Short mmCIF file of all heavy atoms in Angstrom, two decimals:
data_model
loop_
_atom_site.label_atom_id
_atom_site.label_comp_id
_atom_site.label_asym_id
_atom_site.label_seq_id
_atom_site.Cartn_x
_atom_site.Cartn_y
_atom_site.Cartn_z
N ALA N 85 153.90 93.07 1.70
CA ALA N 85 155.00 93.26 0.73
C ALA N 85 155.72 91.93 0.31
O ALA N 85 156.00 91.65 -0.72
CB ALA N 85 155.94 94.37 1.11
N LEU N 86 156.05 91.20 1.42
CA LEU N 86 156.74 89.92 1.27
C LEU N 86 155.88 88.89 0.46
O LEU N 86 156.32 88.17 -0.39
CB LEU N 86 157.12 89.37 2.61
CG LEU N 86 158.26 90.04 3.36
CD1 LEU N 86 158.48 89.45 4.67
CD2 LEU N 86 159.55 89.85 2.54
N ILE N 87 154.63 88.89 0.83
CA ILE N 87 153.70 88.00 0.07
C ILE N 87 153.54 88.38 -1.36
O ILE N 87 153.71 87.45 -2.26
CB ILE N 87 152.28 87.97 0.81
CG1 ILE N 87 152.35 87.26 2.16
CG2 ILE N 87 151.21 87.31 -0.05
CD1 ILE N 87 151.12 87.32 3.05
N VAL N 88 153.33 89.65 -1.64
CA VAL N 88 153.22 90.14 -2.99
C VAL N 88 154.53 89.79 -3.76
O VAL N 88 154.49 89.27 -4.90
CB VAL N 88 152.90 91.59 -3.08
CG1 VAL N 88 152.95 92.13 -4.51
CG2 VAL N 88 151.47 91.74 -2.50
N GLY N 89 155.70 90.26 -3.24
CA GLY N 89 156.96 89.99 -3.91
C GLY N 89 157.23 88.58 -4.21
O GLY N 89 157.64 88.18 -5.23
N GLY N 90 156.99 87.71 -3.15
CA GLY N 90 157.27 86.28 -3.35
C GLY N 90 156.30 85.69 -4.36
O GLY N 90 156.68 84.72 -5.18
N SER N 91 155.05 86.12 -4.31
CA SER N 91 154.08 85.57 -5.31
C SER N 91 154.44 86.02 -6.76
O SER N 91 154.39 85.16 -7.71
CB SER N 91 152.66 86.16 -5.05
OG SER N 91 152.25 85.71 -3.71
N ILE N 92 154.89 87.13 -6.97
CA ILE N 92 155.34 87.59 -8.34
C ILE N 92 156.51 86.70 -8.82
O ILE N 92 156.59 86.29 -9.96
CB ILE N 92 155.67 89.09 -8.33
CG1 ILE N 92 154.45 89.97 -8.16
CG2 ILE N 92 156.45 89.52 -9.58
CD1 ILE N 92 154.68 91.46 -8.03
N HIS N 93 157.50 86.46 -7.93
CA HIS N 93 158.57 85.78 -8.24
C HIS N 93 158.17 84.22 -8.58
O HIS N 93 158.61 83.67 -9.61
CB HIS N 93 159.57 85.75 -7.13
CG HIS N 93 160.84 84.88 -7.39
ND1 HIS N 93 161.77 85.31 -8.31
CD2 HIS N 93 161.22 83.71 -6.88
CE1 HIS N 93 162.80 84.42 -8.23
NE2 HIS N 93 162.50 83.45 -7.46
N MET N 94 157.27 83.76 -7.82
CA MET N 94 156.91 82.37 -7.96
C MET N 94 156.03 82.24 -9.34
O MET N 94 156.31 81.32 -10.08
CB MET N 94 155.97 81.93 -6.83
CG MET N 94 155.54 80.49 -6.88
SD MET N 94 154.48 80.02 -5.53
CE MET N 94 153.05 81.02 -5.69
N VAL N 95 155.17 83.21 -9.54
CA VAL N 95 154.33 83.10 -10.83
C VAL N 95 155.32 83.25 -11.98
O VAL N 95 155.10 82.58 -13.04
CB VAL N 95 153.33 84.17 -10.84
CG1 VAL N 95 152.61 84.44 -12.19
CG2 VAL N 95 152.29 83.81 -9.75
N LYS N 96 156.28 84.11 -11.91
CA LYS N 96 157.20 84.29 -13.11
C LYS N 96 157.97 83.03 -13.38
O LYS N 96 158.07 82.65 -14.57
CB LYS N 96 158.21 85.48 -12.74
CG LYS N 96 159.19 85.72 -13.80
CD LYS N 96 160.23 86.69 -13.33
CE LYS N 96 161.23 85.92 -12.58
NZ LYS N 96 162.58 86.37 -12.52
N ASN N 97 158.38 82.33 -12.31
CA ASN N 97 159.12 81.21 -12.64
C ASN N 97 158.22 79.92 -13.07
O ASN N 97 158.62 79.21 -13.91
CB ASN N 97 159.97 80.77 -11.31
CG ASN N 97 161.08 81.48 -11.10
OD1 ASN N 97 161.87 81.84 -12.05
ND2 ASN N 97 161.39 81.88 -9.87
N LEU N 98 157.08 79.91 -12.48
CA LEU N 98 156.11 78.81 -12.87
C LEU N 98 155.62 79.06 -14.30
O LEU N 98 155.27 78.12 -15.00
CB LEU N 98 155.02 78.80 -11.88
CG LEU N 98 155.33 78.23 -10.52
CD1 LEU N 98 154.15 78.26 -9.68
CD2 LEU N 98 155.89 76.79 -10.56
N ALA N 99 155.61 80.34 -14.80
CA ALA N 99 155.10 80.65 -16.12
C ALA N 99 156.14 80.30 -17.19
O ALA N 99 155.91 80.13 -18.39
CB ALA N 99 154.68 82.08 -16.28
N GLY N 100 157.37 80.17 -16.81
CA GLY N 100 158.43 79.74 -17.70
C GLY N 100 159.04 80.85 -18.45
O GLY N 100 159.62 80.63 -19.51
N ILE N 101 158.88 82.07 -17.97
CA ILE N 101 159.50 83.19 -18.74
C ILE N 101 161.03 83.19 -18.70
O ILE N 101 161.62 83.75 -19.66
CB ILE N 101 158.98 84.58 -18.09
CG1 ILE N 101 159.14 85.77 -18.98
CG2 ILE N 101 159.61 84.79 -16.78
CD1 ILE N 101 158.39 85.74 -20.34
N ASN N 102 161.60 82.60 -17.74
CA ASN N 102 163.03 82.45 -17.73
C ASN N 102 163.55 81.67 -18.98
O ASN N 102 164.64 81.98 -19.56
CB ASN N 102 163.57 81.81 -16.52
CG ASN N 102 163.36 82.72 -15.26
OD1 ASN N 102 163.15 83.94 -15.36
ND2 ASN N 102 163.42 82.11 -14.05
#
Side-chain angles (χ1 to χ4, degrees):
L86 287 173
I87 290 171
V88 169
S91 299
I92 290 172
H93 181 70
M94 184 178 67
V95 168
K96 180 186 80 148
N97 283 322
L98 290 175
I101 196 67
N102 289 343

